[in-house]
């Protein structure tokens, strides 16, 4: 054993001899301690039984074991220092060296911690220094490489309430600058960065060869996923390699070693995030980063690796305030637009305003990213923005001269918001959609009467008035005949005109169909109510149903034309419903 330990290189046989040496040293120490305790007990008389007699051979063996301890400790120290320094060699695979060498001979390190504290401290500090340098340099290079792959997403002009002319003026023709620019407000495929949890990280050299560009959240995910993978592996290695019998002491030591290694890398990662965040106007991208950070935090908890908790918390503290700031910028931009008389005066037609699409896409994005979190602060911020947008649309509508056009403008804009929200799924979006549909329903209701009045105003007004009269029989029969005759002679032409009007006013096919159905449906309601009043006025004549040759009551029979039947009107209306 002496010859192997002092003359051979470290290998598995050397390890076995060292373990045998450790057992002998433990035995000697225990025997000497027991002998001393027994001797003390014997002198005390009644203190207890005397211990075993000292083994005189230990006096000869003891010095040899001590020399072996010193020699073995030196060899172990040099062995680990050489292996650790090899980590600085380019292209060294750290995980393989850790698993196949360091952990394979971790009992040597344990011997060093127990038998030569100074040597163990030197090995630990050398390992910390080496790994700190390794991780910092590798992640710094990776961060810089990722930075070159970042796509342009948003700047200070990419706010909901910024005029189109201002945005176009910034980029001139815009063809080059906007070539790779993602829609600032729509979530689109960007959510895949959040959903594809098992997707690999970005390889910089591959992306550069393919001239690929990525939104920041993809770079953020790739950097931080690489960080937690490396940190998890490193932390678990540290816990195993630097383990001691005292669990609390071992946990504290592992935490301290990990912190010393990763502190510079964490600071660099936070600084990289801060540099982006401080200049970002991409609320969707930052919220994606917040959700990605939450996923990574949960993954660390699943792996039972608490070492990066402070890092993920600090990352959150960088992201959330900037997100709220950008939300405030969006709110202020809409508020500023609502106070801009020139912008309001520029509203000339009833088509949806560009601000509406921006808001709709933005709201759908934020709501989708809040689906599994239901963050009340985020919902409050979005509701505040929604109220401001609704106020802006109302002021824009008031700029139109005709009352009907104001209603049509609001219908088209609310319909656009509803259409965009319908493309998303989830309870948070459904709640918002319900609110918008309620606004849309009110405006469609207002439009229905507004659209019917020019064509069937006399009918509508007569029905409303007659229904307020207690005695219908007291209404002059000539008035009934006049309304009936006017309806008979114009209703087909008027329905055709309404159909053409709706087609012109509502460019969205589905929305136009809904509005047309509402208008024609209400027409049926008014005419049915007229027929009921007619029956009440001329009791005994039977219901008016054109196409029947049955003799009517004498008053109606004397009319120029009998009233057209409700069923006839409904059949004709169904033709327009199917054609639109």
């Amino acid at each position: 054993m002496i010859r192997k330990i002092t003359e051979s290189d470290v290998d598995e046989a050397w390890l076995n001899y060292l373990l045998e040496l450790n057992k002998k040293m433990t035995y000697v120490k225990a025997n000497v301690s027991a002998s001393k305790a027994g001797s003390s007990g014997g002198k005390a008389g009644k203190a207890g039984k005397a211990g075993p007699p000292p083994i005189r051979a230990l006096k000869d063996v003891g010095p040899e074991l001590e020399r072996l301890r010193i020699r073995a400790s030196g060899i172990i120290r040099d062995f680990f220092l050489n292996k650790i320094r090899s980590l600085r060699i380019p292209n060294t695979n750290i995980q393989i060296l850790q698993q196949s060498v360091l952990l394979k001979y971790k009992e040597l390190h344990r011997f060093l911690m127990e038998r030569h504290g100074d040597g163990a401290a030197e090995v630990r500090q050398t390992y910390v220094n080496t790994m700190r340098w390794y991780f910092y340099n590798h992640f710094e290079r990776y961060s810089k490489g990722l930075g070159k792959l970042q796509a342009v997403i948003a700047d200070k002009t990419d706010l909901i309430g910024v005029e189109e002319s201002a945005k176009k003026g910034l980029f001139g023709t815009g063809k080059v600058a906007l070539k790779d620019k993602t829609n600032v407000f729509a979530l689109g495929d960007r959510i895949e960065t959040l959903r594809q949890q098992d997707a690999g990280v970005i390889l910089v050299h591959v992306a550069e060869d393919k001239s690929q560009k990525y939104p920041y959240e993809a770079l953020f995910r790739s950097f931080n996923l690489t960080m937690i993978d490396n940190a998890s592996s490193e932390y678990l290695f540290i816990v195993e390699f630097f383990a001691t019998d005292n669990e609390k002491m071992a946990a504290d030591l592992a935490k301290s070693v990990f912190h010393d290694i990763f502190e510079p890398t964490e600071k660099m990662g936070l600084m990289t995030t801060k540099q982006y965040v401080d200049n970002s106007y991409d609320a969707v991208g930052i919220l994606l980063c917040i959700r990605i950070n939450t996923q990574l935090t949960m993954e660390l908890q699943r792996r039972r690796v608490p070492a990066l908790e402070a890092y993920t918390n600090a990352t959150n503290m960088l992201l959330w305030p900037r997100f709220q700031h950008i939300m405030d910028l969006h709110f202020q931009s809409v508020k500023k637009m609502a106070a801009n008389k020139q912008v309001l005066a520029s509203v000339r037609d009833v088509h949806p305003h560009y601000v509406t699409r921006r808001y709709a896409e933005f709201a759908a994005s934020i709501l989708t990213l809040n689906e599994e979190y239901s963050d009340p602060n985020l919902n409050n911020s979005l509701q505040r923005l929604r109220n401001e947008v609704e106020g802006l649309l109302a002021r824009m509508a008031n700029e139109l001269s005709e009352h009907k056009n104001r209603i049509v403008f609001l219908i088209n804009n609310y319909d656009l918001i509803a259409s965009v929200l319908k493309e998303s799924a989830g309870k948070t979006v459904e709640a918002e959609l319900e609110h918008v549909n309620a606004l849309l329903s009110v405006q469609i209701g207002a439009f229905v009467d507004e659209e019917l009045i020019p064509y069937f105003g006399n009918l509508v007004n007569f029905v409303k008035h007659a229904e307020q009269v207690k005695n219908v029989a007291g209404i002059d029969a000539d008035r009934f005949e006049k309304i009936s005759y006017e309806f008979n002679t114009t209703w087909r032409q008027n329905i055709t005109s309404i159909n053409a009007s709706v087609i012109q006013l509502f460019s969205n096919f589905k929305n136009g169909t809904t509005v047309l159905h509402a208008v024609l449906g209400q027409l049926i309601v008014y005419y049915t109510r007229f027929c009921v009043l007619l029956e009440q006025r001329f009791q005994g004549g039977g219901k008016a149903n054109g196409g029947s040759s049955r003799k009517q009551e004498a008053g109606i029979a004397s009319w120029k034309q009998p009233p057209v039947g409700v069923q006839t009107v409904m059949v004709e209306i169904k033709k327009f419903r199917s054609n639109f």
Side-chain angles (χ1 to χ4, degrees):
M1 182 179 69
I2 293 172
R3 185 165 56 250
K4 180 67 176 178
I5 290 176
T6 57
E7 298 177 4
S8 302
D9 294 331
V10 175
D11 55 17
E12 292 186 24
W14 197 95
L15 173 60
N16 291 331
Y17 278 115
L18 182 81
L19 294 176
E20 185 64 27
L21 171 63
N22 198 40
K23 288 180 182 179
K24 293 180 183 297
M25 294 178 67
T26 301
Y27 174 79
V28 170
K29 182 178 180 180
N31 185 273
V32 171
S33 298
S35 299
K36 288 182 179 180
S39 176
S40 298
K43 292 178 181 179
K46 297 180 181 181
K49 294 182 179 180
I55 300 175
R56 282 185 290 174
L58 295 183
K59 293 181 180 181
D60 298 328
V61 174
E64 298 300 327
L65 292 177
E66 177 62 16
R67 281 193 287 271
L68 267 178
R69 179 190 72 82
I70 295 174
R71 175 63 175 159
S73 297
I75 292 173
I76 294 171
R77 169 190 169 277
D78 292 342
F79 171 79
F80 280 120
L81 292 181
N82 288 332
K83 295 300 181 183
I84 292 170
R85 285 166 184 155
S86 69
L87 296 174
R88 291 178 173 265
I89 300 174
N91 301 321
T92 299
N93 190 314
I94 286 185
Q95 279 75 27
I96 290 180
L97 190 141
Q98 287 176 335
Q99 297 298 322
S100 63
V101 178
L102 299 183
L103 289 181
K104 180 179 179 180
Y105 293 102
K106 66 179 180 180
E107 292 298 332
L108 299 184
H109 181 258
R110 190 180 181 88
F111 177 90
L112 205 60
M113 288 193 295
E114 294 175 356
R115 306 296 182 185
H116 197 277
D118 291 343
E122 185 179 1
V123 169
R124 182 168 63 251
Q125 191 58 49
T126 301
Y127 181 81
V128 167
N129 294 340
T130 299
M131 297 307 292
R132 180 165 54 200
W133 168 87
Y134 173 85
F135 283 119
Y136 181 83
N137 279 276
H138 278 69
F139 275 98
E140 185 182 39
R141 285 200 304 272
Y142 189 50
S143 177
K144 290 180 179 179
L146 289 175
K148 297 176 182 179
L149 305 177
Q150 185 175 333
V152 177
I153 299 295
D155 55 45
K156 61 183 179 181
T157 68
D158 289 305
L159 299 172
I160 292 175
V162 171
E163 297 177 61
E164 285 283 5
S165 57
K167 292 169 66 64
K168 291 177 181 177
L170 178 70
F171 299 105
T173 59
K175 291 182 180 178
V176 177
L178 297 177
K179 179 181 178 182
D180 298 320
K181 193 163 185 179
T182 306
N183 189 330
V184 181
F185 309 105
L187 184 58
D189 294 338
R190 298 175 73 180
I191 196 172
E192 295 304 317
T193 306
L194 193 62
R195 290 174 174 169
Q196 295 177 353
Q197 299 182 28
D198 297 330
V201 299
I202 297 171
L203 302 178
V204 174
H205 65 280
V206 174
E208 286 180 337
D209 291 342
K210 296 181 179 180
S211 300
Q212 290 178 306
K213 296 290 184 180
Y214 300 89
Y216 179 74
E217 67 270 10
L219 308 180
F220 175 87
R221 175 191 176 278
S222 191
F223 179 88
N224 286 282
L225 181 57
T226 305
M227 169 90 85
I228 74 161
D229 282 346
N230 279 268
S232 298
S233 175
E234 185 62 24
Y235 180 79
L236 295 175
F237 167 79
I238 290 170
V239 168
E240 187 173 357
F241 186 71
F242 293 98
T244 63
D245 292 333
N246 187 316
E247 291 185 6
K248 185 180 184 307
M249 186 180 297
D252 292 341
L253 178 60
K255 186 175 181 180
S256 174
V257 171
F258 180 88
H259 177 267
D260 290 344
I261 290 173
F262 265 88
E263 183 184 22
T265 304
E266 290 179 28
K267 287 183 177 179
M268 183 267 295
L270 292 172
M271 182 58 64
T272 301
T273 301
K274 186 176 187 302
Q275 288 173 351
Y276 168 77
V277 165
D278 287 347
N279 298 288
S280 174
Y281 293 87
D282 180 14
V284 173
I286 290 185
L287 187 55
L288 277 166
C289 290
I290 291 172
R291 299 310 185 213
I292 291 168
N293 191 58
T294 301
Q295 283 187 348
L296 297 179
T297 302
M298 294 173 66
E299 178 63 18
L300 285 169
Q301 292 173 356
R302 188 187 68 79
R303 297 179 185 182
R304 298 182 181 179
V305 177
L308 280 181
E309 183 177 348
Y311 173 77
T312 55
N313 288 339
T315 300
N316 247 357
M317 294 302 294
L318 290 174
L319 296 171
W320 269 115
R322 184 62 185 181
F323 173 79
Q324 291 293 346
H325 177 66
I326 299 173
M327 289 291 288
D328 288 340
L329 291 177
H330 282 300
F331 173 82
Q332 293 298 333
S333 71
V334 176
K335 191 172 184 179
K336 185 178 179 181
M337 178 173 275
N340 190 326
K341 294 182 179 180
Q342 185 177 355
V343 172
L344 296 177
S346 66
V347 178
R348 301 294 185 187
D349 57 47
V350 297
H351 294 100
H353 197 270
Y354 57 80
V355 165
T356 304
R357 175 166 288 281
R358 292 179 189 171
Y359 164 74
E361 292 175 341
F362 185 73
S365 300
I366 300 302
L367 289 168
T368 300
L369 293 175
N370 198 35
E371 178 63 32
E372 298 178 5
Y373 300 88
S374 299
D375 190 317
N377 293 328
L378 197 153
N379 287 331
N380 290 338
S381 296
L382 195 58
Q383 184 173 353
R384 182 167 165 247
L385 179 62
R386 180 186 74 188
N387 293 340
E388 200 63 36
V389 170
E390 289 175 4
L392 171 63
L393 293 177
R395 297 195 65 176
M396 286 180 169
N398 288 335
E399 292 296 317
L400 299 172
S401 56
E402 295 185 17
H403 182 64
K404 186 173 80 168
N405 285 344
R406 297 174 187 175
I407 298 173
V408 173
F409 176 81
L410 291 176
I411 291 176
N412 281 329
N413 281 275
Y414 290 145
D415 173 67
L416 175 59
I417 296 174
S419 297
V420 173
L421 291 176
K422 285 177 184 176
E423 295 175 1
S424 303
K427 294 182 180 179
T428 54
V429 176
E430 288 177 3
E432 186 70 13
L433 183 59
E434 184 177 344
H435 169 79
V436 177
N437 282 334
L439 296 176
L440 187 58
S441 179
V442 170
Q443 296 302 325
I444 290 177
F447 174 82
V448 166
D449 279 0
E450 197 74 26
E451 183 68 13
L452 286 175
I453 291 299
Y455 303 99
F456 299 98
N458 290 335
L459 172 68
V460 172
N461 294 330
F462 177 82
V463 169
K464 289 181 177 179
H465 171 73
E467 288 178 339
Q468 299 300 318
V469 177
K470 293 183 179 180
N471 184 15
V472 178
I475 301 176
D476 189 354
D478 290 342
R479 294 184 62 189
F480 275 97
E481 181 181 5
K482 183 179 179 181
I483 296 298
S484 178
Y485 180 78
E486 181 183 7
F487 184 85
N488 284 3
T489 56
T490 63
W491 69 273
R492 281 189 170 87
Q493 179 182 350
N494 287 344
I495 290 176
T496 302
S497 298
I498 289 174
N499 180 62
S501 172
V502 171
I503 291 176
Q504 183 179 1
L505 293 173
F506 303 102
S507 54
N508 183 344
F509 180 85
K510 288 186 177 180
N511 182 40
T513 301
T514 300
V515 174
L516 181 62
H517 287 184
V519 174
L520 298 182
Q522 189 61 36
L523 173 61
I524 291 293
V525 170
Y526 278 125
Y527 188 64
T528 302
R529 285 157 63 182
F530 172 77
C531 291
V532 171
L533 291 168
L534 188 64
E535 181 183 2
Q536 293 174 354
R537 174 63 178 81
F538 301 98
Q539 292 182 1
K543 293 185 179 179
N545 50 14
S548 172
S549 60
R550 189 171 57 179
K551 185 177 180 180
Q552 303 294 323
E553 192 270 338
I556 297 179
S558 64
W559 290 1
K560 294 179 181 179
Q561 293 183 12
V564 65
V566 173
Q567 189 64 33
T568 302
V569 177
M570 291 181 66
V571 170
E572 193 68 21
I573 281 177
K574 286 182 179 179
K575 296 178 182 179
F576 287 97
R577 285 188 172 186
S578 60
N579 290 338
F580 189 86

